[in-house]
């Protein structure tokens, strides 16, 4: 087991003893207060370092330390100034605390606790606010990240906070307590969690407030997920929050801020027909951390996706690790032959490509020309452990005009910044698959979004009383999906001359049809919101400015240098005024009453964050490049840090202009890799009956009447054939039986097979068969089901 960061030579006691978390959920926003209890159990002053994850879009807004009865509240300062003050304080024997965000990834923070005396304890409190993501079933997801996996760092890149991440084995040596309070104008239906909860307690008879606690004994060895269900949660809403009277006049924190939650409703006639065109590119993480059950689940998911694609579209499949491979030099047309070829290759896929290097395959995909009239849809599957997150997000944003990006975080510790960021910048949708969750339902929900008609010409207009204006702080809306929320933050300025209501109007075009959605809202500030909306609005604006700054960094010369300096100053000013974190600021707290003699350097201790790493069982299970592996002696590996090696594929070392020349060579190399994969592949696990049925479907949507299909139904081929009505042929009868079985026996998994069934029903309709009512009756009797012809959609 390899550890990273600042470590002693001895296995000393860890100073972090407990984490206590209080969560207040108010409608769509959560305020989270985490208190970390440190104790110095050593015989001399100690500096403790704790690298930990937070939700990617969280706005850290408070940081304090309590030593005995004395509380020291941190202030936000420019980053280098805060670091200098921390170093000066620690070197002079003063207790100091520094909290800073990673420059590489906004979901990773480092907490430095400096100059704790022997036997002394300190309680550090961090408060942040975050938006709650809406799930496909309309629940709101809150995640308390526990797992922080080592992030793959490309060779030659600068070391940052993420390079200090520890990898540990087993449970962490500190405990977690968690209490949750939920309040909303809408009644609360229920709360669910990936962890064991105590019973939900409603505080009012109208069920608008409730509390729940995490059951005792939780080891904090996995992310804690909570799903909040409200009644009518998909209704649009608005929160107007009052500002702070002591803030500078005209500033964001002084004036009211409005947060609009929109749920566009598409016309039913438009939604009844999904797209039949598109280029679908599936990008699968095949690094060693995807081994065993993860890669098998991914292969099952690719099977469902390939079977669900519409005839005539285009598709391709990429695999990436420390290098990348693809099935075809460019996307190919979807038909029976190409689908069969792809499925054979999917079956042979292994988690055998080393580290996690996602930037190069994305560059290769974006270098390929798009097909006219076939919008590119990118599906990216990864456990999300990369260091260059912001570089990846900038690349996706740069190509946002040419594609939509749907991202999936697999397993505990997937980077929320990477997964949600790729979806946001690529106008797609993000999903997280954790614990024992099945990957397939969430992926198929995203496929439904991808097949929805594209929304274009989106505009947002405000109608406000005379005397009031609004500055929209959120980036322009560039994507809308049926039933999915869009958040808009607005800075309200001025005084109303009498009106008390505002209106926000969203207009867009959908399949050449103009659509208008409107929301009327009261301008009177909502009570008991604190400053959560202001801080989230500030965080949204800061993120936009940081991205503009990174784009400008590539062309800094002449006047650009002055513009970039002004942009950095604006970020620092906004961060300090709002009291929220940014890449250019840090929280600093110093106990000026403490001072002790420091002889020699402080002991430095890393606090481990839970990071499960599978024990290698074979060459394909290790984070090693080909050059690390001795093929003559399979049990011998070169020593070294798996985060440091950097295997370059041809696509990494050649220029963009040279890639076209070598694309056919890469395709040959992939075929050669397949032959190696055949030697390494383990026997296929037993497929469930649904996947067996899906695997037998033809690209056109039909099934053949044979023994393998009969086996899925628990029948013999003769039993199916003998019951076949005379007026239909074998394929129509087989397809009809498959539909009856799906609706009659697997209705609870409909989200997984919905497109498979749609293709089947469409194919039956194209066969121009007469009345099928009698066939449905016979099929029901044969399979022991009770479904109607109308239910089957034929």
């Amino acid at each position: 087991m390899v550890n990273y960061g600042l470590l002693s030579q001895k296995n000393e006691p860890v100073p972090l003893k407990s984490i206590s978390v209080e969560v207040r959920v108010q409608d769509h926003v959560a305020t989270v207060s985490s208190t970390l209890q440190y104790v110095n159990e050593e015989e001399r002053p100690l500096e403790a370092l704790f690298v930990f994850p937070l939700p990617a879009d969280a706005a850290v807004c408070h940081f304090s330390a309590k030593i005995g009865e004395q509380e020291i509240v941190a202030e936000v300062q420019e980053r280098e100034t805060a670091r200098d003050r921390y170093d000066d304080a620690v070197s002079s024997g003063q207790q100091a605390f520094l909290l800073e965000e990673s420059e590489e990834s906004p979901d990773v923070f480092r907490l430095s606790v400096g100059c704790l005396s022997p036997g002394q304890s300190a309680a550090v409190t961090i408060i942040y606010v975050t938006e709650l993501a809406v799930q496909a079933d309309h629940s709101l997801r809150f995640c308390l990240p526990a797992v922080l996996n080592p992030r793959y760092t490309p060779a030659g890149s600068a070391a940052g906070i993420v390079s200090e991440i520890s990898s540990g084995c087993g449970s962490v040596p500190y405990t977690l307590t968690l209490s949750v309070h939920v309040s909303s104008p809408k009644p609360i239906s229920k709360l669910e969690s990936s962890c064991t909860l105590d019973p939900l307690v409603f505080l009012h008879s109208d069920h608008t407030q409730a509390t729940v606690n995490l059951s005792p004994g939780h080891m904090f060895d996995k992310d804690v997920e909570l799903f909040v269900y409200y009644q009518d949660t998909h209704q649009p809403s608005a929160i107007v929050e009052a500002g702070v009277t002591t803030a500078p006049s005209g500033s964001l924190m002084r004036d009211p801020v409005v947060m609009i939650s929109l749920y566009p409703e598409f016309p039913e006639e438009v939604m009844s027909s999904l797209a039949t065109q598109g280029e679908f590119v599936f990008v699968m993480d095949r690094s060693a951390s995807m081994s065993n059950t993860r890669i098998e689940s991914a292969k099952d998911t690719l099977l469902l996706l390939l079977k669900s694609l519409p005839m005539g579209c285009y598709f391709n499949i990429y695999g990436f690790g420390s290098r990348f491979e693809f099935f075809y030099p460019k996307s190919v047309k979807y038909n029976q032959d190409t689908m069969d070829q792809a499925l054979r290759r999917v079956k042979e896929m292994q988690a055998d490509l080393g580290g996690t290097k996602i930037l190069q395959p994305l560059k290769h995909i974006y270098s390929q020309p798009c097909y006219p009239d076939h919008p590119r849809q990118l599906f990216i599957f990864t456990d999300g452990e990369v260091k260059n997150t912001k570089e990846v997000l900038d690349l996706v944003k740069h190509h946002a005009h040419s594609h939509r990006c749907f991202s999936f975080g697999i397993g505990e510790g997937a980077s929320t910044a990477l997964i949600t960021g790729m979806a946001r910048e690529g106008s797609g949708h993000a999903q997280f698959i954790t614990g024992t969750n099945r990957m397939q339902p969430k992926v198929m929900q995203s496929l439904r979004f991808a097949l929805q008609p594209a929304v274009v010409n989106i505009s947002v207009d405000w109608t406000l009383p005379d005397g009031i204006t609004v500055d929209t702080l959120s980036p322009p809306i560039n994507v809308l999906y049926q039933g999915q929320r869009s958040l808009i933050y607005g800075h309200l300025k001025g005084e109303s001359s009498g009106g008390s209501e505002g209106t926000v109007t969203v207009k867009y075009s959908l399949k050449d049809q103009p659509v208008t959605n409107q929301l009327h809202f009261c301008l009177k500030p909502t009570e008991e919101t604190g400053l959560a909306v202001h801080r989230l609005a500030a965080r949204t604006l800061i993120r936009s400015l940081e991205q503009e700054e990174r784009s400008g960094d590539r062309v800094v010369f002449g006047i650009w240098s002055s513009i970039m300096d002004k942009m950095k100053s604006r970020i620092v000013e906004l961060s300090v005024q709002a009291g929220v974190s940014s890449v250019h600021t840090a929280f600093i707290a110093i106990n000026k009453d403490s001072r002790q003699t420091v002889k020699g350097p402080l002991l430095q201790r890393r606090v481990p964050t839970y990071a499960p790493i599978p024990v290698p069982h074979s060459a394909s299970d290790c984070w090693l490049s080909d050059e690390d592996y001795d093929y003559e002696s399979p049990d011998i590996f070169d020593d070294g840090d798996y985060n440091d090696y950097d295997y370059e594929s041809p696509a990494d070392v050649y220029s963009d202009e040279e890639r076209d020349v070598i694309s056919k060579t890469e395709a040959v190399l992939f075929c050669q890799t397949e032959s190696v994969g055949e030697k390494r592949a383990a026997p296929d696990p037993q497929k469930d009956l649904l996947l067996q049925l899906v695997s037998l479907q033809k690209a056109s949507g039909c099934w053949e009447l044979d023994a393998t299909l009969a086996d899925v139904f628990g029948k013999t081929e003769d039993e199916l054939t003998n019951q076949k009505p005379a007026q239909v042929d074998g394929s129509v009868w087989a397809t009809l039986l498959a539909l009856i079985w799906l609706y009659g026996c697997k209705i609870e998994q409909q989200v997984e097979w919905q497109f498979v069934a749609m293709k089947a029903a469409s194919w039956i309709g194209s066969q121009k068969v007469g009345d099928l009512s009698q066939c449905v009756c016979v099929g029901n009797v044969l399979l022991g089901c009770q479904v109607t012809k109308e239910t089957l959609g034929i």
Side-chain angles (χ1 to χ4, degrees):
M1 203 62 63
V2 184
N3 289 319
Y4 305 90
L6 300 168
L7 296 165
S8 69
Q9 296 298 316
K10 301 177 181 178
N11 186 20
E12 301 289 353
V14 175
L16 181 61
K17 291 301 180 183
S18 66
I19 300 179
S20 175
V21 181
E22 295 181 1
V23 182
R24 290 190 63 87
V25 176
Q26 294 175 292
D27 207 9
H28 287 234
V29 173
T31 302
V32 185
S33 176
S34 299
T35 299
L36 299 87
Q37 187 75 36
Y38 289 87
V39 177
N40 182 5
E41 298 178 339
E42 304 192 27
E43 297 178 356
R44 50 181 293 188
L46 175 74
E47 179 179 19
L49 295 163
F50 182 35
V51 180
F52 59 97
L54 287 181
D57 296 322
V60 176
C61 55
H62 174 90
F63 175 49
S64 62
K66 189 172 184 180
I67 302 173
E69 296 302 316
Q70 182 180 18
E71 184 177 26
I72 314 157
V73 178
E75 58 186 51
V76 181
Q77 295 186 351
E78 192 275 330
R79 188 182 191 121
E80 294 306 319
T81 301
R83 285 177 172 175
D84 290 343
R85 287 191 62 200
Y86 174 83
D87 290 340
D88 290 345
V90 170
S91 63
S92 65
Q94 290 179 311
Q95 290 158 345
F97 304 84
L98 181 71
L99 179 69
E100 53 185 323
E101 175 186 315
S102 164
E103 295 182 47
E104 302 90 358
S105 186
D107 63 340
V108 178
F109 282 74
R110 175 175 58 194
L111 172 60
S112 303
V113 180
C115 226
L116 274 183
S117 303
Q120 191 170 48
S121 64
V124 175
T125 298
I126 301 167
I127 300 178
Y128 64 86
V129 290
T130 185
E131 300 164 359
L132 299 183
V134 180
Q135 305 301 291
D137 62 357
H138 299 305
S139 66
L140 299 178
R141 177 182 182 263
F142 167 75
C143 180
L144 182 68
V147 178
L148 188 55
N149 290 335
R151 306 225 169 166
Y152 177 73
T153 305
S157 57
I161 291 176
V162 295
S163 68
E164 298 175 3
I165 296 170
S166 289
S167 62
C169 185
S171 62
V172 289
Y174 45 84
T175 60
L176 169 72
T177 59
L178 173 70
S179 63
V180 182
H181 181 278
V182 183
S183 62
S184 173
K186 312 177 186 77
I188 302 160
S189 298
K190 60 179 177 178
L191 261 72
E192 295 181 347
S193 177
S194 59
C195 304
T196 305
L197 300 176
D198 290 344
L200 183 66
V201 177
F202 289 104
L203 304 182
H204 294 130
S205 58
D206 61 3
H207 285 197
T208 56
Q209 291 195 43
T211 61
V212 70
N213 295 323
L214 188 67
S215 297
H218 180 71
M219 297 305 297
F220 208 22
D221 56 353
K222 61 181 178 181
D223 294 350
V224 178
E225 289 181 298
L226 290 173
F227 299 92
V228 182
Y229 293 82
Y230 297 133
Q231 293 179 23
D232 300 321
T233 186
H234 61 284
Q235 296 299 315
S237 62
I239 297 177
V240 178
E241 184 178 80
V244 182
T245 56
T246 55
S249 178
S251 68
L252 174 65
M253 301 306 291
R254 176 71 174 262
D255 298 327
V257 169
V258 59
M259 181 178 75
I260 305 289
S261 303
L262 294 176
Y263 287 84
E265 292 296 326
F266 295 177
E268 181 59 35
E269 62 271 18
V270 174
M271 294 308 301
S272 60
S273 60
L274 297 176
T276 57
Q277 294 176 305
E279 179 195 7
F280 298 87
V281 182
F282 306 113
V283 185
M284 185 60 65
D285 189 338
R286 287 174 52 192
S287 62
S289 55
M290 286 286 295
S291 60
N292 302 323
T293 57
R294 288 185 188 177
I295 194 66
E296 293 305 321
S297 180
K299 289 157 69 170
D300 290 344
T301 300
L302 285 174
L303 165 66
L304 269 176
L305 283 167
L306 287 171
K307 293 291 185 174
S308 299
L309 294 180
M311 285 290 283
C313 71
Y314 289 81
F315 78 99
N316 203 351
I317 298 177
Y318 281 68
F320 73 93
S322 54
R323 62 186 186 278
F324 70 89
E325 304 168 345
F326 43 73
F327 282 16
Y328 305 101
K330 64 178 183 178
S331 295
V332 296
K333 197 164 188 177
Y334 178 78
N335 55 39
Q336 188 65 45
D337 288 341
T338 55
M339 184 192 76
D340 287 342
Q341 292 170 9
L343 286 173
R344 285 194 294 270
R345 294 182 177 183
V346 166
K347 188 177 180 181
E348 296 164 351
M349 281 174 49
Q350 299 295 321
D352 55 2
L353 292 184
T356 308
K357 194 172 184 180
I358 196 172
L359 193 65
Q360 294 303 330
L362 289 179
K363 287 182 177 179
H364 188 272
I365 291 167
Y366 294 142
S367 71
Q368 303 290 320
C370 295
Y371 289 92
D373 301 321
H374 286 274
R376 179 171 288 169
Q377 315 278 6
L378 201 58
F379 284 66
I380 301 177
F381 302 83
T382 179
D383 51 16
E385 300 163 11
V386 298
K387 176 206 176 258
N388 54 341
T389 299
K390 292 182 180 179
E391 190 176 357
V392 172
L393 300 188
D394 289 344
L395 178 66
V396 174
K397 182 178 178 65
H398 181 70
H399 293 275
H401 64 283
S402 65
H403 80 301
R404 290 194 291 188
C405 182
F406 299 86
S407 52
F408 305 88
I410 302 171
E412 307 290 351
S415 167
T416 58
L418 180 68
I419 303 305
T420 61
M422 287 191 296
R424 180 181 62 248
E425 305 302 347
S427 302
H429 186 67
Q431 299 266 25
F432 289 88
I433 301 109
T434 59
T436 58
N437 290 347
R438 283 173 58 82
M439 187 184 301
Q440 292 84 350
K442 295 190 175 185
V443 174
M444 302 312 290
Q445 287 163 354
S446 291
L447 180 60
R448 173 168 283 276
F449 290 146
L451 292 173
Q452 283 183 14
V455 174
V456 296
N457 301 325
I458 303 172
S459 66
V460 178
D461 298 308
W462 301 81
T463 303
L464 298 167
D466 291 341
I468 296 183
T469 60
V470 62
D471 285 346
T472 303
L473 305 177
S474 306
I477 299 176
N478 53 17
V479 62
L480 291 173
Y481 295 112
Q482 169 75 0
Q484 286 298 296
R485 180 197 64 193
S486 295
L487 285 180
I488 303 173
Y489 294 97
H491 177 186
L492 299 173
K493 299 179 178 180
E495 294 289 338
S496 171
S497 58
S500 61
E501 187 178 84
T503 303
V504 62
T505 304
V506 180
K507 296 181 180 179
Y508 52 89
S509 296
L510 188 63
K511 296 189 76 172
D512 298 325
Q513 290 191 31
V515 183
T516 299
N517 292 157
Q518 263 191 351
L519 172 67
H520 301 279
F521 62 94
C522 179
L523 290 171
K524 182 181 178 181
T526 309
E527 296 180 359
E528 296 183 358
T529 57
L531 288 172
V533 174
H534 276 76
R535 285 161 174 159
L536 286 171
R539 184 64 161 164
T540 298
L541 184 54
I542 287 171
R543 285 286 181 243
S544 296
L545 292 171
E546 287 174 347
Q547 190 165 62
E548 286 183 44
E549 183 185 37
R550 292 197 303 275
S551 299
D553 278 344
R554 303 188 189 103
V555 287
V556 174
F557 56 87
I559 194 170
W560 265 108
S561 180
S562 174
I563 293 174
M564 301 308 292
D565 288 342
K566 290 180 180 178
M567 193 171 294
K568 178 181 177 180
S569 297
R570 173 63 176 142
I571 293 171
V572 172
E573 178 187 35
L574 190 59
S575 176
V576 171
Q577 282 186 1
V580 299
S581 56
S582 78
V583 73
H584 291 307
T585 54
F587 284 85
I588 175 72
I590 298 173
N591 183 5
K592 296 180 180 178
D593 294 335
S594 69
R595 190 176 296 275
Q596 54 190 302
T597 303
V598 178
K599 296 180 180 179
L602 285 176
L603 294 179
Q604 292 179 314
R605 296 286 182 261
R606 285 285 288 111
V607 179
T609 303
Y610 185 83
I613 296 181
V615 177
H617 296 291
S618 67
S620 62
D621 288 338
C622 297
W623 286 272
L624 296 169
S625 68
D626 286 351
E627 54 209 3
D628 291 320
Y629 181 56
D630 184 346
Y631 284 93
E632 297 298 321
S633 302
D635 295 324
I636 299 175
F637 296 86
D638 288 346
D639 234 344
D641 176 15
Y642 81 86
N643 260 340
D644 288 337
Y645 81 84
D646 191 25
Y647 179 92
E648 300 286 352
S649 77
D652 296 330
V653 297
Y654 288 107
S655 67
D656 290 340
E657 293 76 18
E658 293 171 309
R659 287 179 185 166
D660 289 337
V661 179
I662 63 168
S663 60
K664 291 184 178 179
T665 306
E666 285 183 319
V668 171
L669 289 173
F670 182 83
C671 294
Q672 293 172 345
T673 304
E674 281 191 301
S675 63
V676 175
E678 288 176 6
K679 298 174 186 176
R680 296 177 179 175
D684 283 342
Q686 180 66 36
K687 301 288 185 183
D688 63 33
L689 291 178
L690 173 60
L691 290 177
Q692 284 189 35
L693 179 75
V694 171
S695 69
L696 298 174
Q697 188 184 33
K698 300 297 182 182
S700 62
C702 71
W703 276 266
E704 291 182 352
L705 189 61
D706 56 23
T708 53
L709 179 66
D711 187 56
V712 173
F713 303 146
K715 306 290 183 182
T716 66
E717 184 177 359
D718 287 343
E719 287 179 285
L720 300 191
T721 304
N722 292 340
Q723 295 296 320
K724 181 180 77 67
Q727 72 268 30
V728 298
D729 69 22
S731 293
V732 172
W733 176 235
T735 305
L736 191 61
L737 289 176
L739 277 176
I740 292 172
W741 186 84
L742 287 171
Y743 281 98
C745 301
K746 293 294 178 180
I747 191 65
E748 74 281 357
Q749 293 177 252
Q750 185 174 6
V751 69
E752 299 184 39
W753 50 260
Q754 56 184 315
F755 300 110
V756 166
M758 288 170 61
K759 286 174 68 173
S762 177
W763 180 85
I764 290 177
S766 70
Q767 301 305 298
K768 300 189 179 350
V769 184
D771 185 16
L772 291 171
S773 299
Q774 181 61 31
C775 297
V776 174
C777 291
V778 176
N780 274 323
V781 173
L782 179 61
L783 299 179
C785 301
Q786 294 180 336
V787 297
T788 64
K789 176 184 171 183
E790 291 71 28
T791 300
L792 302 180
I794 57 177

